[in-house]
Amino acid sequence: MSELSSSKNKVNIEPQSKLRAFPALVQNGTGPVASRPKPLWKYARFWSLFGIPNLCAITYFGLIASPVYVSHASLEVSGSGKSSETLTSLLSAASEPSGGGAYVVQDFIATPDEFARVNQKFDLARLYGRYDFIRRFGSFGSWFSRSDVSLWDAYRKATEVAISKSGIAQIMVSAPSPEDAHAIALFILTDTIAHIRELNSRENEDYTRAAKLQVDTLEKALQDDDRNLQTFRSATGIYHPDTFYTAMMNHRTELLLKRLDTSAKIAGLLGATPNSAAASAFRSQLDIVETMISDADSRLRDMNGRSSEFAALETRHEIDARLLGEARTALLQSTIKASQDHYYIHQIGYPSKLQGAEYPHRILSILLVLGLSALLLAIARPTR
């Protein structure tokens, strides 16, 4: 009897211990029976973390998402970044190249001024409104804002400039169609090149303005000096006073010698023949020589007064001519220096017109949502 009672107790205890260990087991009739687990798709957490996100991703990326076409263009803008100061170094092009011009391209394309020009040409609000309801301007893509700031932000997202290690600016323009992307990229590229050339022209003007002004001033001063010298020569009939003075002194010396010789002849004739007719002839010749000597002295006195005037004119002409030469050298130096600081444009790639859409990456996006939602589902464990 004791063995029978102990076996009954074992039978009664064993189901209770199993029920405590396994809550899914229920007492039914003569013994415990396991219930079927609840299907995973019946849990609300499964749909919120996995089902609905994947259905939305498949619907949007597979059926709704608008294709985005991209036009690519490449531009190399190189500049010295450093200019030399001496003319020898300038002529030998002793400068180091720099790739800073690519950042000029990047900054210029993102400016409000360039955005305004592009918007005026292509009506970006209408263009970006052709995307799907998620991406389009004025909807989720711009947080339902249609302000000019939101449009500028959309333009900057659609127009990217990447700078490679070699300093090449890679321009990428996105649009709803390949024709629009190509047209906008071509417009931006042309506008950028024109802007850089304008910068070069303005820089050249800034560098050479002072030197050009100095050259023009000295050229006019030198023309005035030439005109004054010509007026002096026309008034006096003398090309160079120093040469004239030397010639007049030689002529006066000859006249003095002639007077001395004529006086000696007259004295000799009068000593031999007091009333000699030849002496009277030589006396007339002596009077002529005296008159010529007086005229020479008068011209020499006049030239002494005029020589200082001519010397001042000539000195001013020489100084202006020397200053003009130095100014022209400075102009040449500033011109070469400006050319060293110029940005030189090399168009590497013309704007492309690819017929295939680059975005969105439909399969990759769907797989990414699938992986993330599966990870969240595994972490959340909705069956607990």
Side-chain angles (χ1 to χ4, degrees):
M1 292 295 291
S2 60
E3 292 179 0
L4 183 59
S5 62
S6 62
S7 63
K8 287 181 179 180
N9 291 333
K10 288 182 181 179
V11 173
N12 293 331
I13 293 172
E14 186 175 358
Q16 293 178 0
S17 63
K18 286 184 177 181
L19 287 174
R20 286 194 301 268
F22 301 97
L25 297 179
V26 297
Q27 188 74 16
N28 185 12
T30 58
V33 178
S35 63
R36 291 184 179 181
K38 189 177 180 180
L40 190 62
W41 55 269
K42 288 187 176 182
Y43 290 93
R45 193 179 296 179
F46 166 80
W47 289 103
S48 62
L49 296 179
F50 185 83
I52 294 176
N54 281 275
L55 288 176
C56 292
I58 294 172
T59 303
Y60 177 71
F61 291 109
L63 302 175
I64 300 176
S66 300
V68 180
Y69 299 88
V70 182
S71 179
H72 298 265
S74 300
L75 188 67
E76 182 184 12
V77 182
S78 59
S80 67
K82 172 179 147 183
S83 57
S84 304
E85 296 298 332
T86 63
L87 183 60
T88 304
S89 300
L90 289 170
L91 294 175
S92 63
S95 59
E96 299 177 357
S98 172
Y103 293 97
V104 175
V105 175
Q106 186 181 52
D107 294 339
F108 170 73
I109 292 177
T111 58
D113 291 337
E114 181 62 10
F115 156 70
R117 283 188 287 268
V118 175
N119 185 39
Q120 183 179 8
K121 174 110 178 136
F122 295 98
D123 191 5
L124 297 179
R126 179 192 59 81
L127 185 69
Y128 296 154
R130 288 161 47 188
Y131 287 116
D132 59 79
F133 70 96
I134 297 292
R135 188 181 181 89
R136 74 174 54 145
F137 176 74
S139 182
F140 292 95
S142 61
W143 296 103
F144 299 96
S145 173
R146 300 189 64 87
S147 66
D148 54 352
V149 176
S150 298
L151 186 58
W152 179 35
D153 185 60
Y155 160 78
R156 285 182 293 174
K157 290 179 181 177
T159 308
E160 299 180 359
V161 180
I163 301 175
S164 64
K165 293 182 179 179
S166 57
I168 297 176
Q170 300 173 349
I171 304 171
M172 295 161 286
V173 179
S174 303
S177 70
E179 291 77 14
D180 292 327
H182 171 77
I184 296 175
L186 181 60
F187 179 85
I188 290 175
L189 183 65
T190 305
D191 215 20
T192 302
I193 293 174
H195 173 71
I196 292 175
R197 286 175 177 168
E198 182 183 357
L199 284 180
N200 289 339
S201 177
R202 209 157 53 208
E203 184 178 35
N204 186 72
E205 181 66 23
D206 292 340
Y207 267 109
T208 60
R209 183 186 296 114
K212 283 182 178 179
L213 181 62
Q214 187 69 15
V215 168
D216 293 340
T217 302
L218 289 173
E219 284 179 347
K220 292 179 181 178
L222 195 61
Q223 290 174 0
D224 293 338
D225 294 340
D226 289 334
R227 192 179 301 111
N228 293 333
L229 286 173
Q230 186 64 31
T231 302
F232 175 85
R233 287 163 180 162
S234 299
T236 60
I238 300 171
Y239 183 80
H240 201 287
D242 290 344
T243 305
F244 178 79
Y245 185 83
T246 302
M248 286 300 299
M249 287 298 296
N250 292 333
H251 178 61
R252 186 175 183 279
T253 301
E254 291 176 358
L255 290 175
L256 290 174
L257 291 174
K258 183 70 174 177
R259 184 179 66 176
L260 183 62
D261 181 62
T262 303
S263 298
K265 288 180 180 180
I266 292 173
L269 289 173
L270 291 177
T273 312
N275 295 321
S276 174
S280 298
F282 277 111
R283 191 179 297 279
S284 298
Q285 185 177 5
L286 181 62
D287 293 338
I288 295 172
V289 171
E290 290 289 351
T291 302
M292 293 178 66
I293 291 174
S294 298
D295 182 64
D297 290 340
S298 175
R299 298 192 69 178
L300 285 173
R301 284 193 299 271
D302 182 65
M303 185 51 58
N304 286 333
R306 290 294 189 93
S307 62
S308 59
E309 179 184 353
F310 180 83
L313 293 175
E314 189 177 38
T315 301
R316 186 180 306 151
H317 182 275
E318 291 176 355
I319 292 175
D320 288 342
R322 185 167 61 252
L323 291 176
L324 179 60
E326 294 176 357
R328 285 173 174 169
T329 302
L331 177 60
L332 175 63
Q333 183 175 353
S334 61
T335 302
I336 299 175
K337 186 176 180 179
S339 67
Q340 279 193 329
D341 287 342
H342 279 181
Y343 291 111
Y344 297 94
I345 307 167
H346 308 278
Q347 188 171 329
I348 307 299
Y350 190 77
S352 62
K353 195 176 181 181
L354 302 175
Q355 298 300 316
E358 292 195 20
Y359 302 102
H361 301 297
R362 302 181 186 274
I363 297 178
L364 179 61
S365 300
I366 292 173
L367 292 177
L368 182 62
V369 173
L370 176 65
L372 291 176
S373 60
L375 180 62
L376 289 175
L377 187 65
I379 294 174
R381 300 180 68 179
T383 57
R384 282 193 170 185

